[in-house]
């Protein structure tokens, strides 16, 4: 009798999501060192043009996360004198974390972001 072995599954295109993972990590670090978010968005802009459709969805999501987060942070800073800015700032950090965690987990699974142009998550 011959023994059959299950087919070997290959990971999705080797390092297809490596740069996207790097951007998410830079975004996580930016919560302590804000400058790394700028480095992350630069990497996302540079890699988006040469990426597959799945990876490009992550880069679009990351770029939008940066710019929308910057807008939310600006609105939070402007409204701090009346007190609501502190609440908005906290919600901005929570929003940023949810998006970064969701995106990072999708890269680990080798999946694209379903709706990279959403304002939420």
């Amino acid at each position: 009798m011959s023994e059959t072995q299950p087919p070997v599954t290959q990971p999705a295109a080797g390092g297809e999501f490596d740069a996207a993972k790097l951007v998410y990590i830079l975004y996580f670090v930016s919560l302590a060192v804000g400058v790394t978010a700028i480095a992350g968005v630069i990497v996302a802009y540079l890699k988006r043009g040469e990426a597959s459709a799945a990876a490009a969805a992550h880069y679009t999501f990351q770029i939008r996360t940066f710019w929308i987060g910057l807008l939310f942070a600006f609105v939070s800073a402007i409204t701090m004198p009346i007190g609501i800015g502190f609440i908005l700032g906290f919600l901005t950090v929570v929003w940023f974390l949810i998006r970064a965690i969701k995106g990072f987990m999708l890269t680990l699974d080798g999946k694209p972001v379903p709706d990279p142009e959403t304002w939420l998550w």
Side-chain angles (χ1 to χ4, degrees):
M1 296 192 142
S2 68
E3 232 179 272
T4 60
Q5 300 212 354
V8 177
T9 57
Q10 298 293 326
E16 177 183 9
F17 293 107
D18 286 349
K21 289 176 190 173
L22 171 67
V23 174
Y24 287 120
I25 291 168
L26 288 170
Y27 279 5
F28 291 131
V29 173
S30 76
L31 294 172
V33 184
V35 176
T36 61
I38 296 169
V41 78
I42 290 170
V43 171
Y45 271 116
L46 292 175
K47 291 291 189 175
R48 184 169 59 171
E50 65 190 40
S52 67
H58 280 280
Y59 297 130
T60 299
F61 186 72
Q62 291 165 337
I63 291 167
R64 290 181 58 83
T65 298
F66 176 84
W67 289 113
I68 295 169
L70 194 62
L71 172 68
F72 289 167
F74 179 74
V75 170
S76 299
I78 294 295
T79 58
M80 279 197 185
I82 60 172
I84 194 165
F86 295 102
I87 297 168
L88 293 176
F90 174 75
L91 293 175
T92 298
V93 170
V94 169
W95 171 87
F96 185 83
L97 273 172
I98 291 171
R99 283 179 66 100
I101 290 169
K102 175 190 173 189
F104 189 74
M105 290 178 70
L106 286 170
T107 61
L108 293 177
D109 293 338
K111 297 177 183 175
V113 176
D115 184 12
E117 303 216 356
T118 184
W119 279 64
L120 292 176
W121 37 78

